[in-house]
Each structure stands twice: as structure tokens, then as C-alpha cells.
Amino acid sequence: MTESKPPIRVRFAPSPTGHLHVGNARTALFNWLFARGQKGSFILRIEDTDVERSQADFERQLLEDIRWLGLDWDEGPDVGGLHGPYRQSERTDIYRKHGMKLVESGHAYYCFCTPLELEADRKTALSQRRQPRYSGKCRQLSREEVSRRRQAGEPASTRLKIPEEVLSFPDLVHGLTRFSPDAIGDFILLRPGGQPAYNFAVVVDDHLMQISHVIRGDDHISNTPRQVAVYRALGWELPQFAHLSTILAGDRTRLSKRHGATSVDHFREMGLLPEAITNYLALLGWSAADGVTEILSREQLTAQFSLAHIIKSPAVFDLQKLFWLNRHYMKGSPLERLVKLSLPVLRSAGYLGEQVGKETEQWLELVLGAVLKNVDHLSQLPDPVRLIFHFDGREAVQAEENKDVIESEDSRRVVDSFCQRVAAAGELDSDKFRALISEVRNETGQKGKNLFHPIRVALTGRTSGPEMDKLVPIFEQGAKLSLPNPVKNCAERAREFARFALKGAAD
Ligand code: GLU
């Protein structure tokens, strides 16, 4: 008879106590990639046993962020499944039942020590330079005493008896990992009110949900021996563990909020694309089989992901690299999609009203086409598009950067010739604009930079920016739309600029 392998089942188990940050998002992604690549199941479990810190709003936001990243789950609090409920706060009876089982089998015991006593013991241990751990005082209580005190209603927690032996487990990333029992006292499984401790609930859930691989951050590696002790006490087989490396910031300290943008909702607000984020997260502690490829689509990642290529040493978070990937994915994205994504940013910059019609959206495609290569992400758009939505002839003439143009006789001749022609030309398109420039070249004898530079300044008020060929139709078509900041067409711009720049120019 051949032994059939148990199905691959992995889980992502966030606590709804804050935003989905880089570390947790990477954990979710690795679990998802592994499940999808191995045709297994990806389970979402909400670990909300910390009632004081857990919030329904955080849970909603977490689910939304994971979904936005493009990670879907097969079982979870909203979709159900055979092994639910998937919220720990709804599983209290299950934990109590297993806690009781452990007391009955002699692997756990009731502890009546008060918080004050425990704190005093802890202080004594610290003052004697001993590692604080529970003294085991209540292990010795007789059965009679325990039942008398419980019947009298004395609050009791349930503690696991930690055996005096090394607790070890094979880790797919770190190899065989061992912990001495000295470091681990008899720890609490259930608090006096019946609330489970994390290390207990997680084992009961992983076992009952038939999790085959526990893939999580290595901040949990020191919890794992406690969990191993629970598995042993319950007579359950261990899942396979894979602890992912720590993520450091550029300053080599653990990445945290103080390092700036580190949460998925923040990235989303910045207008980063989800596929850029998942590609980037995949590279934090994992590498493609060839060790060099860095740009990998979701499909390529799914096909290539393997636990064997997880890197043990810490990963360093590099926002610039995320931006680099984002630029790559923006380039390959349909403009229509990018326009939709940039509406909130342009709205909050005051450039768009609440209602944005089809015509404006089509025009915005031209705008993005012209400025996209100047941004790392969409929330940087207000700066490069400013010269489209805002033009003031007087400001342009007075700007320090335009001094050369205003003061040079040759440049002024170009501006004069150009502005007169624009005024007479009617609506411009790229071809008409180019023809007009040839005429100015012929008339003034200027060429190259000396020709283009003054024209750019006259139309945009700036010495640099997107190609004029692209800007001209944007100005002309934008002027026909009704926008909160009306866009000025080329003729208006040229007229305003000439009025302030050229002495004696027609008003
Ligand atoms: N709820 C834990 C956390 O958010 C995860 C526990 C686990 O993956 O075992 O850190």
C-alpha cells in the first residue's frame, strides 16, 4: 500500500490589532504562493483573542488589504469552510474542551496564583539574575485542594506541565531548532476567565484545521517550543514549520512604523500597484530559482515559489526598489486603469471635481501618457501635472529659472515670433505645432535648444517637463473641458506670457 501525502493546507492568521504591514503581508503572500503553487488550500484565520486590542475595523481593513493585493482564500471568516469558525473569539468552547482534556490526562493543572504573587516571583527571579519563569508552585496541589478551591469559586488559570527535556522541531528554513526547557516555564493555556493564550489557541486551531505547514515570521520562533509542548501533550503530530527571516530597514534595525511607509494601506494610498507590491514582497527573503530574476508576474511567482529557496538571513526593505518595480508595472498597465487609480489623487489636489466624465477620463490618458515616466507612484502626480492645470504668465516671466529666456534678445525674438503665430493659428495639434516651429526657425534663424527652450517656457512657464509634442494637444483639448481649474490653451498661454515678457507686445 502506498502512503498518500496529506493535502497541503496553510493559513495566514493575523491579529486584528493594527494595519497590515510589510512583514505580515509577506507572510500572507508566501502562504498564498505556496498553496496556489502546490494546489493546496489557503486559509484565513482571525486571531482576535486579545479582546482589548482587537477591533472589528482592523479586521475589515486587513481583509480588504489582502484582497486588494490579489490574494484570495479558500476558507475564512467571511467565506466559511469545513473547519470553522475561523475567528478565534468564536472558538472559546473548543479551547476550553481541550484544556480540560489536558488537565484530565495530567498534562496540565489549575493554578491559583494571583497576578500579585506572580509579579513578586518575577521580581525575585530578576533580582537573583535568574530567568523569570513560573515556579510550578500549583503543580504540587492535591486533587482535593484543587477541587475545594475551584468549588469555592477561586479564579484559576490552566497551565501546561513542561517536561524536563529539550524541545526541538525541524524548521524548513532554520533546520533543527532546539530550546532548553529551562527557558520555558509551565505556561498558561487558559486564563481564569477561560480565554485561551495564543500558544494554546494556535495549536488547537492548526491541528483541527489540518494545517500541514506553518509559514510565519521568525518573531514566532521562540513561541514554537511552547507550541511543540502542546502538540506533544495532546498526542498530535507536528505540522512542518517554516519561519521567515526578519525584515530590516536600511539602518539595519527591525522595520517598523517609524521607518515611514510600511503598511499596505499606506502603499495603496500612494497609488502603488498591487502587482508591484507582491512582486517586491516575494523578493523579501526568497529568490527565484536562477537567483537573479527580479521581475516576476503573479503567475511566474506561483509557478516558481518553493520553500527551499527561502533565504535565512534578514531581508532589507528598500522603498526605492519597490518604486522601481512600480514604475515597471505602471509602464505595462493600460492607461485607462491608471486613470481610474489616479482620480482620487488628482481630486484631492483640487484638479478634478467629484464628477469626472468619459471625455475627461480620455483626456487624462493623454496627461498620464505624458508625465508617467516622471513618477515613482501615482500620488506623485500633482507635481508634474501642475504645469497643465496651472499657468500664470506673470509668474512665468518672474520665475528665476526663466531669467535667461527673458533677458536674452534672441530668445525674446523667438517668443515674439512664436506668440504671434500661435495667436493666428487657431487650435493646434502636434503637426500644426511642428509646422509653426519651422516657421519660427526660418524667421529667427534659431535652432535646437535656442529655439525650443523659449517656446517651452512661453507655454509651460517651466524650463523642463514632458515633451512639447505631447503637451500641446493636452493644453488644447483640456481647455475644452469643464474642470475646477480651467486649463489654458496654447494661444492663451502664449498671449499671457508675451504680455509680460515683451515690451510693447500686443495685449
Ligand atoms: N496572530 C499571530 C500574529 O499576528 C500569528 C500567529 C501565527 O502565525 O502562528 O502575529
Side-chain angles (χ1 to χ4, degrees):
M1 222 171 74
T2 54
E3 215 179 291
S4 66
K5 270 205 192 157
I8 302 281
R9 289 177 56 85
V10 292
R11 75 335 185 250
F12 175 53
S15 305
T17 54
H19 297 272
L20 182 67
H21 54 78
V22 172
N24 264 347
R26 189 234 353 219
T27 300
L29 176 68
F30 281 25
N31 276 288
W32 184 86
L33 287 173
F34 184 60
R36 294 293 170 254
Q38 302 292 316
K39 308 264 174 293
S41 303
F42 178 56
I43 290 123
L44 182 73
R45 182 172 76 224
I46 298 294
E47 302 210 322
D48 55 352
T49 51
D50 185 342
V51 268
E52 269 161 36
R53 294 175 56 222
S54 296
Q55 288 180 23
D57 246 11
F58 281 135
E59 178 185 319
R60 193 188 40 72
Q61 178 78 45
L62 279 170
L63 263 59
E64 207 178 298
D65 286 344
I66 305 166
R67 213 175 272 125
W68 178 78
L69 284 175
L71 313 181
D72 56 339
W73 47 95
D74 307 302
E75 298 169 32
D78 54 342
V79 293
L82 288 179
H83 305 273
Y86 293 91
R87 226 177 250 117
Q88 287 190 329
S89 57
E90 294 163 18
R91 300 174 62 81
T92 318
D93 289 347
I94 303 176
Y95 308 128
R96 286 188 196 158
K97 193 179 94 195
H98 284 89
M100 233 134 80
K101 239 195 211 166
L102 285 172
V103 174
E104 279 160 17
S105 66
H107 289 93
Y109 58 92
Y110 292 113
C111 167
F112 300 92
C113 294
T114 64
L116 271 176
E117 283 173 88
L118 296 171
E119 182 54 20
D121 285 354
R122 206 180 71 87
K123 282 195 175 136
T124 313
L126 287 175
S127 70
Q128 295 171 352
R129 294 178 183 278
R130 279 188 290 115
Q131 185 153 2
R133 52 171 235 182
Y134 179 60
S135 64
K137 205 190 292 175
C138 292
R139 256 202 205 206
Q140 338 299 342
L141 299 179
S142 66
R143 210 179 260 268
E144 294 69 34
E145 182 173 355
V146 171
S147 78
R148 181 179 50 73
R149 290 172 79 170
R150 278 181 55 77
Q151 267 167 24
E154 208 176 313
S157 52
T158 309
R159 284 186 188 271
L160 187 72
K161 280 183 193 163
I162 295 289
E164 285 301 315
E165 59 194 57
V166 170
L167 288 164
S168 66
F169 58 92
D171 188 286
L172 294 168
V173 179
H174 299 266
L176 186 67
T177 305
R178 304 157 147 267
F179 284 83
S180 142
D182 301 343
I184 304 163
D186 293 350
F187 66 91
I188 291 180
L189 303 174
L190 294 165
R191 294 179 221 292
Q195 287 303 109
Y198 156 70
N199 280 314
F200 184 46
V202 81
V203 171
V204 172
D205 290 347
D206 284 343
H207 175 79
L208 296 180
M209 294 180 183
Q210 298 173 6
I211 299 302
S212 61
H213 293 72
V214 170
I215 306 170
R216 62 184 169 200
D218 67 4
D219 48 331
H220 285 294
I221 208 161
S222 59
N223 284 321
T224 311
R226 290 178 179 81
Q227 295 171 19
V228 168
V230 177
Y231 278 104
R232 285 194 190 158
L234 284 164
W236 291 343
E237 228 178 273
L238 296 184
Q240 303 214 50
F241 290 103
H243 285 95
L244 310 176
S245 68
T246 314
I247 302 176
L248 302 179
D251 62 5
R252 299 269 153 182
T253 60
R254 184 181 265 280
L255 185 70
S256 71
K257 272 185 235 147
R258 74 192 161 84
H259 292 106
T262 54
S263 63
V264 171
D265 58 342
H266 200 152
F267 293 150
R268 184 174 173 175
E269 268 168 36
M270 287 165 88
L272 289 163
L273 300 178
E275 61 269 36
I277 300 175
T278 47
N279 188 160
Y280 181 68
L281 292 174
L283 304 176
L284 284 176
W286 174 84
S287 70
D290 66 6
V292 287
T293 308
E294 294 196 302
I295 294 181
L296 295 130
S297 67
R298 191 70 58 91
E299 293 67 33
Q300 288 168 318
L301 286 172
T302 309
Q304 292 192 26
F305 186 80
S306 102
L307 296 176
H309 288 110
I310 288 181
I311 303 162
K312 201 154 101 180
S313 52
V316 178
F317 181 74
D318 176 357
L319 198 56
Q320 293 310 319
K321 188 155 176 182
L322 173 55
F323 289 166
W324 168 70
L325 282 167
N326 196 57
R327 285 198 301 273
H328 167 83
Y329 285 102
M330 281 197 301
K331 227 189 290 163
S333 242
L335 284 172
E336 202 182 338
R337 173 190 181 209
L338 297 178
V339 164
K340 290 256 185 290
L341 291 173
S342 52
L343 295 180
V345 175
L346 296 174
R347 234 181 236 130
S348 61
Y351 294 144
L352 299 176
E354 266 320 299
Q355 298 299 325
V356 176
K358 196 81 217 124
E359 251 181 304
T360 305
E361 285 194 4
Q362 280 165 357
W363 174 73
L364 287 169
E365 288 185 26
L366 298 182
V367 173
L368 290 197
V371 303
L372 218 49
K373 61 174 188 288
N374 301 325
V375 298
D376 293 325
H377 49 84
L378 297 175
S379 68
Q380 288 175 342
L381 279 177
D383 189 37
V385 301
R386 187 168 191 275
L387 55 74
I388 297 170
F389 291 94
H390 177 88
F391 178 83
D392 179 320
R394 185 198 298 268
E395 251 174 47
V397 169
Q398 289 171 351
E400 188 58 30
E401 66 172 313
N402 300 333
K403 217 167 144 200
D404 290 352
V405 171
I406 308 299
E407 288 176 358
S408 138
E409 198 48 52
D410 286 344
S411 296
R412 289 155 55 92
R413 279 185 38 236
V414 171
V415 169
D416 189 18
S417 159
F418 176 73
C419 290
Q420 287 190 33
R421 281 163 206 282
V422 171
E427 187 179 334
L428 295 181
D429 56 23
S430 301
D431 289 340
K432 270 196 186 171
F433 176 67
R434 261 180 251 129
L436 206 136
I437 288 192
S438 312
E439 290 172 27
V440 177
R441 180 193 296 121
N442 294 340
E443 186 186 324
T444 60
Q446 301 294 330
K447 52 183 194 248
K449 188 167 174 270
N450 293 342
L451 176 68
F452 286 101
H453 194 63
I455 291 174
R456 172 180 288 285
V457 171
L459 288 184
T460 69
R462 309 290 308 269
T463 52
S464 62
E467 292 149 51
M468 290 307 303
D469 259 7
K470 287 190 176 162
L471 284 178
V472 166
I474 289 174
F475 294 156
E476 299 293 82
Q477 292 178 35
K480 293 188 221 156
L481 301 168
S482 85
L483 296 169
N485 276 328
V487 170
K488 292 178 181 165
N489 66 18
C490 294
E492 287 174 276
R493 288 166 184 253
R495 191 180 330 117
E496 253 191 54
F497 187 78
R499 172 161 16 130
F500 294 104
L502 309 172
K503 246 190 256 133
D507 197 12

